[in-house]
Amino acid sequence: MKKFKKFYIEITSICNLSCSFCPPTERAKGFISVEDFTKRLEQIKPHTDYIYFHLKGEPLLHPKIDQLLDISHEHGFKVNITTNGTLLQKNKHKLLSKPALRQMNFSLHSFDGHEGSTDKEGYIGGVLSFVREAMDQTNMIASFRLWNLSQDNMTNAEKQRNREILEMIEKEFELDYFIEEKVVPGSGVKIADRVYLNQDYEFEWPDLRAKEDDGKGFCYGLRNQAGILIDGTVVPCCLDGEGVINLGNINNQHFSDIVEGERANNLVDGFSRREAVEELCRKCGYRQRFGK
């Protein structure tokens, strides 16, 4: 029985932003139904204890996210949510009282990534206000993300946009240091009890139109993670946002059988040999982070 540390259940393919770093999905737009969500939890229960309400889309757009959290708790799951943070105040009453909610990740880089964003101070202030309430009322973990670093030397303008955000966080938590002095790209720094900040380089989503390399490398897809898109398509990782590596559909086949199928096992066996057998994997730069 394959067990996964991370399991991504896409609850919507719709987003309220259009960020430069996140390619728009070409799939049908929609929200998962409560009935379908419940069926998915029943199928994946033997495989994981932690679920992520994310693959593509903005989870806080789902009108019944409070019900999904309640159902997750009833089935014994802990939930992690990644959000752009723009809808927190509208939805906080649906979130703060839910025991299933383990962690929220705030993609702060979405502000500058979305053309037309205004009032950075108001946006960051809203996120910080929500986190403050969460720290007072719950045991939730909060993680601020700035995944917009450049692999090359960053321009002064790029540094300044992050500095403005970091300065607001430093002021909120009364830090006596500059966060840049502590954080290392790709890892987080603890800035308060249950509050972390993570900075990383911007990565490119894998794309079949991209150039293919030698296919060497390693990935944790189907080793410690898997995902299900809103239409029931099972994918090996959180970066297959279009369902290119379609391992099967849980509306037609049980999840346990899908992840033990021929295509799934070939993918895992290939990475055991440090070889990407799927075309999309050979065009994914994330694989190279784990060496060859």
Side-chain angles (χ1 to χ4, degrees), residues 30-50:
F31 298 99
I32 195 170
S33 69
V34 171
E35 180 182 9
D36 283 346
F37 181 77
T38 303
K39 289 178 180 177
R40 282 166 206 191
L41 293 192
E42 291 169 350
Q43 287 203 30
I44 69 171
K45 182 57 185 173
H47 298 274
T48 190
D49 298 315
Y50 297 94

Side-chain angles (χ1 to χ4, degrees), residues 3-8 48 50-52 224-227 286:
K3 296 281 286 187
F4 304 102
K5 293 180 180 178
K6 300 178 180 180
F7 202 105
Y8 298 87
T48 190
Y50 297 94
I51 52 178
Y52 291 69
N224 72 1
Q225 65 170 279
Y286 204 80

Side-chain angles (χ1 to χ4, degrees), residues 4 7 43-44 47 226 234 250 253-259:
F4 304 102
F7 202 105
Q43 287 203 30
I44 69 171
H47 298 274
V234 176
I250 64 166
Q253 188 179 7
H254 197 282
F255 177 80
S256 297
D257 296 328
I258 292 173
V259 293

Side-chain angles (χ1 to χ4, degrees), residues 5-68:
K5 293 180 180 178
K6 300 178 180 180
F7 202 105
Y8 298 87
I9 298 183
E10 185 181 67
I11 64 173
T12 180
S13 56
I14 303 170
C15 189
N16 61 326
L17 299 183
S18 181
C19 296
S20 59
F21 54 80
C22 187
T25 180
E26 299 175 5
R27 296 180 285 115
K29 304 291 193 297
F31 298 99
I32 195 170
S33 69
V34 171
E35 180 182 9
D36 283 346
F37 181 77
T38 303
K39 289 178 180 177
R40 282 166 206 191
L41 293 192
E42 291 169 350
Q43 287 203 30
I44 69 171
K45 182 57 185 173
H47 298 274
T48 190
D49 298 315
Y50 297 94
I51 52 178
Y52 291 69
F53 284 3
H54 184 64
L55 215 140
K56 280 294 191 71
E58 167 53 52
L60 300 193
L61 279 173
H62 199 293
K64 297 182 178 179
I65 191 168
D66 49 346
Q67 292 185 42
L68 303 187

Side-chain angles (χ1 to χ4, degrees), residues 15-290:
C15 189
N16 61 326
L17 299 183
S18 181
C19 296
S20 59
F21 54 80
C22 187
T25 180
E26 299 175 5
R27 296 180 285 115
K29 304 291 193 297
F31 298 99
I32 195 170
S33 69
V34 171
E35 180 182 9
D36 283 346
F37 181 77
T38 303
K39 289 178 180 177
R40 282 166 206 191
L41 293 192
E42 291 169 350
Q43 287 203 30
I44 69 171
K45 182 57 185 173
H47 298 274
T48 190
D49 298 315
Y50 297 94
I51 52 178
Y52 291 69
F53 284 3
H54 184 64
L55 215 140
K56 280 294 191 71
E58 167 53 52
L60 300 193
L61 279 173
H62 199 293
K64 297 182 178 179
I65 191 168
D66 49 346
Q67 292 185 42
L68 303 187
L69 285 166
D70 287 338
I71 295 167
S72 300
H73 181 62
E74 291 167 7
H75 285 76
F77 289 100
K78 288 296 184 181
V79 177
N80 300 277
I81 293 177
T82 297
T83 173
N84 59 43
T86 59
L87 304 172
L88 287 169
Q89 297 306 313
K90 181 180 179 180
N91 288 281
K92 65 180 181 180
H93 65 288
K94 295 182 178 181
L95 302 169
L96 292 178
S97 62
K98 303 304 181 184
L101 187 54
R102 172 186 174 269
Q103 178 169 332
M104 290 193 71
N105 306 310
F106 306 97
S107 299
L108 303 185
H109 47 279
S110 61
F111 182 89
D112 289 303
H114 175 71
E115 185 177 351
S117 292
T118 59
D119 189 15
K120 181 181 288 187
E121 188 172 345
Y123 164 66
I124 298 298
V127 174
L128 293 175
S129 173
F130 175 86
V131 170
R132 193 183 310 121
E133 288 189 59
M135 294 304 104
D136 289 341
Q137 300 175 24
T138 75
N139 293 317
M140 189 190 87
I141 298 168
S143 176
F144 303 121
R145 291 179 173 179
L146 278 171
W147 289 3
N148 61 358
L149 299 180
S150 173
Q151 294 280 6
D152 303 316
N153 291 329
M154 294 183 71
T155 66
N156 288 332
E158 289 173 323
K159 291 178 181 177
Q160 182 59 28
R161 71 183 184 186
N162 281 351
R163 177 91 294 272
E164 292 170 356
I165 293 175
L166 295 176
E167 188 173 334
M168 285 183 264
I169 294 173
E170 290 162 359
K171 183 178 179 181
E172 171 69 24
F173 292 96
E174 299 179 342
L175 303 182
D176 60 358
Y177 57 86
F178 293 116
I179 291 174
E180 296 100 317
E181 297 173 353
K182 303 278 188 179
V183 71
V184 176
S187 63
V189 57
K190 184 176 182 178
I191 59 177
D193 183 38
R194 293 182 285 120
V195 181
Y196 300 84
L197 184 137
N198 182 286
Q199 284 195 274
D200 208 343
Y201 300 109
E202 183 177 330
F203 67 87
E204 293 186 14
W205 287 74
D207 190 328
L208 289 177
R209 294 166 294 189
K211 186 177 180 181
E212 193 170 310
D213 60 22
D214 61 7
K216 299 299 182 182
F218 181 78
C219 182
Y220 288 98
L222 284 186
R223 283 181 196 271
N224 72 1
Q225 65 170 279
I228 306 176
L229 303 179
I230 57 166
D231 67 353
T233 300
V234 176
V235 293
C237 72
C238 62
L239 294 182
D240 188 2
E242 293 303 298
V244 173
I245 306 176
N246 183 344
L247 300 174
N249 193 295
I250 64 166
N251 296 318
N252 308 319
Q253 188 179 7
H254 197 282
F255 177 80
S256 297
D257 296 328
I258 292 173
V259 293
E260 292 296 347
E262 181 179 4
R263 189 171 187 181
N265 284 328
N266 284 344
L267 186 150
V268 173
D269 292 344
F271 280 123
S272 294
R273 303 188 303 269
R274 299 298 190 269
E275 175 187 342
V277 299
E278 292 282 349
E279 181 182 1
L280 188 69
C281 298
R282 294 194 296 272
K283 297 178 176 180
C284 179
Y286 204 80
R287 160 179 51 88
Q288 298 167 345
R289 295 188 179 198
F290 304 110

